Amino acid sequence: MVRVIAKSTLRRFWQSSPAHADAERPLTEWHNMMLKVDWPMPQALKADIRSASILKGGRAVFNVAGNKYRVVAALDYARQLAFVKFVGTHAQYDAVDVERIDEH
């Protein structure tokens, strides 16, 4: 089980604009999926979710809702924690440096 810090970041995104209201279900599904996985290392994540991209610094990019949205999380594999650093549209993702962005 990977605990996500924090679901409120996901909620804030889908509530931020009527254009993002359709993100509620896929982001909730992503969150629920995270609660069921156990990844001891980045290779296990990649083997489980081939569409995920592994970045430097323990970060991973998850494609959500058919790649309409993206979630960037910093993963602490030893403690099974995922710190949400970014959630946004594909276009918003392209406009940020995901290796440096820090939501919290």
Side-chain angles (χ1 to χ4, degrees):
M1 176 177 99
V2 174
R3 199 171 99 214
V4 177
I5 313 294
K7 186 173 183 181
S8 62
T9 304
L10 304 174
R11 186 178 305 110
R12 195 168 47 247
F13 176 75
W14 77 62
Q15 290 177 347
S16 68
S17 165
H20 301 147
D22 67 334
E24 180 176 3
R25 182 174 180 195
L27 288 173
T28 299
E29 288 171 355
W30 176 85
H31 181 267
N32 292 339
M33 179 267 311
M34 295 294 283
L35 295 174
K36 297 175 184 172
V37 298
D38 179 12
W39 297 316
M41 61 188 75
Q43 296 84 349
L45 183 163
K46 187 67 175 172
D48 199 26
I49 303 178
R50 297 186 56 85
S51 64
S53 299
I54 307 299
L55 305 176
K56 292 186 257 180
R59 291 184 180 206
V61 180
F62 298 90
N63 300 320
V64 178
N67 206 20
K68 182 175 181 179
Y69 300 109
R70 293 209 169 161
V71 174
V72 177
L75 288 116
D76 181 333
Y77 295 94
R79 296 188 302 163
Q80 293 292 287
L81 296 173
F83 299 90
V84 175
K85 298 297 183 180
F86 171 85
V87 59
T89 65
H90 196 158
Q92 290 168 329
Y93 169 87
D94 288 341
V96 299
D97 181 350
V98 294
E99 292 182 358
R100 295 180 185 254
I101 196 165
D102 194 7
E103 180 71 32
H104 295 92

